[in-house]
């Protein structure tokens, strides 16, 4: 059984889980208006650390982001008996943009190696003497839940005994200007599920949960029962009008309504997200259980959200409390659901955490302190590799056979599109990395030869890389560098989430199954193998479009993509 | 009546801003709906058109809901630009 053995939240509301929970229960919020911050032309409302708090968090020799993660881990690790130097301890970092604020510095812009998320994760791992290679989960706004699901699986496969899972994001001009270009921000405190909601607020925080699968460990009664990630297969930024992915993610949990104290929704307070969630919850049959959201206290803490909101929810259940949704006055969503707008009592012992994000991804997790909720039986898996495609700036091979091409670099991808696809003009809207992944998937699926575009939920898309979304990151940074020529573009910003590529493949092929994106310090075959094996612990997943899609520049990239099948069903 | 010069200029800006690689200005009819089936545009394209109007014409649309009527067709954009320049 995968148990929670320690946790911590570092946020503008406090430096421990207990401080944070007390503040939330008292109805406090760290959201406030920021004018002229980071020279941004538009003001914004967000939950940000104060200068005094940063003084407490900042570590010499580390970036803001790394210091924040180190602060949270330092508050967590001493209280649990985990051997950090063991080969059986894994560190999983959940972040959407990690060190991206460094790109504003011309030094990092021209030499971004130190900015990369996998490098940051390694710095942090080295700080604590963690010996295994860390994994960065970069699955947009569902990263926190996706990281907990990955950790649970890696413990269940028996590869590791303990997992340290930390989610964090630091706000910056980069992120705020991007969300402003999406017109997604509320000028005032956000109002999840309210009739007058107009958008979200951003927030910064780090949150850590340490998980263990060791029988001997003295743990809290909390454990992860089940979790699933599903895609809308609809749009890279707009949520599905039918709540498709969230509905399907909820169904993977098998969590009876009568056993849940509450469901802690994403509740970003954008018009479309909250409406979508209400429809998904309604479709999944959750009509009477209380639904709440915590964005009115913290804003959207991005990579931290899934972990932070799970911890607050555990504290609430420990305190027999269903928390109020701060900002909610009048229900403004169409789904037949019961919203919590005041602190209420409960005697139930489990809850569901729900998230959704760009790239069409949705994640749900059932967490319980009731010992009757044992984890489901785990089958051991081994996958078989079927077809594979390799693309470099100068060569293409399909199942080892070279494909004759005339162009190189970015032009090679356009040549392949014209020759092998040609009827999907959205290709031209994609950034270079997404074009690379898209074309590799097209060649792969054409080679597989099965009927295309048949909706399915049993195929996952799980991709890895090293440089995250570096090209799109640089383009977005260039659009905001000059105050007098300040035009952040939504169609550039959306590709600053590398998991968009998994969403594009899901949309094209109508794949409603899991979509996940991981960043590693290097192309580590052993680690990729472990993650892919663990991915088959989602009992619906029978095959995976998997591989490495990395793009340093328009002329330096590599894709190795393959289909893996679940051997146990052969 | 809006002028042809502005119409053609707008078509060029739309094609560039939205990466409509296979489309020429002649393919876009002045009065045809921009969204829906025609050019296959979506919500990100609508936001991108807001950026385009600000960048090229200095016109700011704070509320994206306004975009719906402005971006109905090339003609409606031209009328809006003409009256807000």
């Amino acid at each position: 059984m995968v148990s929670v053995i320690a946790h911590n939240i570092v946020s503008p509301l406090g430096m421990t889980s207990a401080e944070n929970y007390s503040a939330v229960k008292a109805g406090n919020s760290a959201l406030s208006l920021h004018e002229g911050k980071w020279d941004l032309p538009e003001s914004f409302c967000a939950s940000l650390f104060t200068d005094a708090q940063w003084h407490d968090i900042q570590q010499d020799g580390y970036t803001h982001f790394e210091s924040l993660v180190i602060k949270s881990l330092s508050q967590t690790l001493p209280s649990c008996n985990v051997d950090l130097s063991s080969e059986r301890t894994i560190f999983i970092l959940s972040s959407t943009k990690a060190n991206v604020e460094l790109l504003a510095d011309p030094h990092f812009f021209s030499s971004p190696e130190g900015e990369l998320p996998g490098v940051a994760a390694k710095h942090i791992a080295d700080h604590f003497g963690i010996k295994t290679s860390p994994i960065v989960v970069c699955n947009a706004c569902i990263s926190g839940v996706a990281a907990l699901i990955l950790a649970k699986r890696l413990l269940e496969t028996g590869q590791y005994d303990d997992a340290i899972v930390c989610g964090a994001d630091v706000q910056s001009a980069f992120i705020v200007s991007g969300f402003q270009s999406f017109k997604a921000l509320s000028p005032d405190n956000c109002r999840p599920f309210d009739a007058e909601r107009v958008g979200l607020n951003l927030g910064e925080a780090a949150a850590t949960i340490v998980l263990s699968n060791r029988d001997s460990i003295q743990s809290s009664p909390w454990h992860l029962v089940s979790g699933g990630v599903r895609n809308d297969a609809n749009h890279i930024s707009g949520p599905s009008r039918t709540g498709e992915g969230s509905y399907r993610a909820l169904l993977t949990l098998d969590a009876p309504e009568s056993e849940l104290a509450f469901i802690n929704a994403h509740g970003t307070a954008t018009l479309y997200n909250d409406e979508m969630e209400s429809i998904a919850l309604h479709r999944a049959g959750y009509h009477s259980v209380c639904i709440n959201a915590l964005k009115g206290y913290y804003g959207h803490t991005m990579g931290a959200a899934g972990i932070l909101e799970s911890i607050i929810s555990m504290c609430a259940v420990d305190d027999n409390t269903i928390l109020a949704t701060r900002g909610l006055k009048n229900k403004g969503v169409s789904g037949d659901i019961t919203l919590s707008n005041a602190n209420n009592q409960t005697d139930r012992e489990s809850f569901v955490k729900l998230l959704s994000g760009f790239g069409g991804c949705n994640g749900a997790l059932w967490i319980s302190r009731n010992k009757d909720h044992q984890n489901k039986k785990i089958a051991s898996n081994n996958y078989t590799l079927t077809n594979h495609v390799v693309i470099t700036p100068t060569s293409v091979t399909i199942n080892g056979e070279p494909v004759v091409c005339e162009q190189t670099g970015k032009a090679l991808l356009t040549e392949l599109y014209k020759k092998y696809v040609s009827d999907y003009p959205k290709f031209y809207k994609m950034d270079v990395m997404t074009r690379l992944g898209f074309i590799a998937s097209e060649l792969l699926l054409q080679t597989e030869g099965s009927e295309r575009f048949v909706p399915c939920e049993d195929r996952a898309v799980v991709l890895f890389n090293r440089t995250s979304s570096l090209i799109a990151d640089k383009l977005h940074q260039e659009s905001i560098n000059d105050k007098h020529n300040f035009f952040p573009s939504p169609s550039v910003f959306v590709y600053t989430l590398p998991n968009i590529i998994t969403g594009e493949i899901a949309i094209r092929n109508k794949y409603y199954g899991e979509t996940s994106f991981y960043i590693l310090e290097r192309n580590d075959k052993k680690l990729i193998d472990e993650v892919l094996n663990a991915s088959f612990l989602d009992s619906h997943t029978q095959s995976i479009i998997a591989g490495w899609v990395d793009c340093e520049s328009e002329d330096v990239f590599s894709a190795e993509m393959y289909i893996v099948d679940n051997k146990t069903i052969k | 009546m809006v002028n042809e010069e502005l119409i053609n200029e707008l078509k060029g800006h739309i094609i560039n801003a939205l990466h409509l690689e296979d489309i020429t200005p002649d393919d876009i009819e002045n009065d045809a709906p921009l969204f829906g089936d025609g050019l296959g545009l979506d919500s990100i394209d609508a936001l991108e058109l807001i950026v385009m109007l600000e960048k090229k014409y200095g016109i700011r649309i704070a509320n994206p809901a306004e975009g719906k009527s402005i971006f109905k067709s090339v003609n409606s954009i031209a009328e809006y630009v003409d009256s807000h320049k």
Side-chain angles (χ1 to χ4, degrees), chain A residues 490-557:
Chain A
S491 64
V492 170
F493 184 66
V494 72
Y495 290 104
T496 66
L497 291 165
N499 72 305
I500 295 296
I501 189 173
T502 62
E504 294 277 19
I505 294 170
I507 293 164
R508 165 75 164 162
N509 296 289
K510 300 188 175 63
Y511 291 159
Y512 295 105
E514 172 171 337
T515 51
S516 290
F517 200 95
Y518 304 110
I519 300 169
L520 309 178
E521 196 201 5
R522 61 189 170 83
N523 190 347
D524 182 335
K525 307 277 190 212
K526 179 176 164 286
L527 198 52
I528 291 173
D529 192 53
E530 286 173 10
V531 172
L532 291 179
N533 260 319
S535 300
F536 281 115
L537 291 192
D538 182 321
S539 60
H540 295 268
T541 301
Q542 303 300 352
S543 66
I544 306 175
I545 306 273
W548 182 263
V549 181
D550 195 65
C551 214
E552 273 185 63
S553 72
E554 292 188 354
D555 303 308
V556 181
F557 53 71

Side-chain angles (χ1 to χ4, degrees), chain A residues 219-340:
Chain A
S219 68
S220 79
W222 282 102
H223 56 279
L224 309 187
V225 186
S226 52
V229 173
R230 290 293 181 270
N231 201 284
D232 288 337
N234 176 59
H235 191 263
I236 54 171
S237 65
S240 155
R241 298 288 173 111
T242 55
E244 205 56 46
S246 282
Y247 162 68
R248 290 173 188 252
L250 284 167
L251 291 194
T252 66
L253 302 181
D254 225 1
E257 182 172 43
S258 59
E259 305 206 5
L260 301 177
F262 53 82
I263 294 176
N264 181 244
H266 194 28
T268 58
T270 67
L271 233 49
Y272 295 115
N273 174 80
D274 295 5
E275 172 65 8
M276 177 282 286
E277 280 190 293
S278 83
I279 290 167
L281 288 160
H282 172 105
R283 283 182 70 193
Y286 293 113
H287 303 292
S288 60
V289 63
C290 276
I291 312 294
N292 64 9
L294 299 172
K295 301 294 191 287
Y297 306 94
Y298 291 103
H300 187 345
T301 55
M302 302 172 61
I307 299 167
L308 182 153
E309 292 170 10
S310 292
I311 295 171
I312 293 292
S313 296
M314 283 192 280
C315 295
V317 172
D318 280 337
D319 189 32
N320 300 111
T321 299
I322 301 166
L323 290 165
T325 303
R326 196 178 194 278
L328 169 65
K329 285 187 187 135
N330 299 303
K331 182 185 168 197
V333 288
S334 71
D336 174 18
I337 57 170
T338 306
L339 291 162
S340 165

Side-chain angles (χ1 to χ4, degrees), chain A residues 379-493:
Chain A
S380 67
N381 292 271
N382 260 310
Y383 64 75
T384 51
L385 193 146
T386 56
N387 297 290
H388 65 277
V389 166
V390 178
I391 303 178
T392 74
T394 54
S395 69
V396 181
T397 61
I398 301 175
N399 290 338
E401 295 292 323
V403 174
V404 179
C405 299
E406 289 172 6
Q407 305 291 331
T408 61
K410 186 183 174 189
L412 168 67
L413 303 177
T414 309
E415 181 187 351
L416 290 168
Y417 167 76
K418 287 183 172 165
K419 198 165 164 191
Y420 293 98
V421 187
S422 78
D423 62 348
Y424 200 68
K426 268 203 259 178
F427 172 81
Y428 293 112
K429 295 177 190 275
M430 299 174 189
D431 79 323
V432 184
M433 187 181 84
T434 310
R435 288 184 186 195
L436 172 65
F438 176 81
I439 283 296
S441 71
E442 285 295 309
L443 296 181
L444 190 63
L445 291 165
Q446 288 175 18
T447 306
E448 183 187 37
S450 304
E451 190 184 347
R452 299 284 308 273
F453 317 120
V454 180
C456 70
E457 195 176 324
D458 60 0
R459 171 161 277 179
V461 183
V462 180
L463 300 176
F464 301 79
N465 83 0
R466 186 180 78 87
T467 56
S468 183
S469 48
L470 187 58
I471 296 183
D473 290 357
K474 284 181 158 187
L475 277 175
H476 179 65
Q477 183 63 49
E478 281 174 323
S479 75
I480 62 169
N481 272 341
D482 181 358
K483 209 157 60 161
H484 304 290
N485 190 21
F486 183 92
F487 295 106
S489 148
S491 64
V492 170
F493 184 66

Side-chain angles (χ1 to χ4, degrees), chain A residues 82-129:
Chain A
V82 170
D83 180 359
L84 299 179
S85 65
S86 166
E87 289 297 315
R88 299 182 60 77
T89 300
I90 181 88
F91 171 43
I92 299 172
L93 182 60
S94 156
S95 184
T96 61
K97 293 313 306 166
N99 272 329
V100 79
E101 66 173 342
L102 298 181
L103 277 186
D105 178 335
H107 163 74
F108 280 100
F109 193 89
S110 58
S111 171
E113 192 64 24
E115 182 266 346
L116 302 178
V119 175
K122 185 69 169 58
H123 283 166
I124 296 160
D126 288 347
H127 179 89
F128 290 98

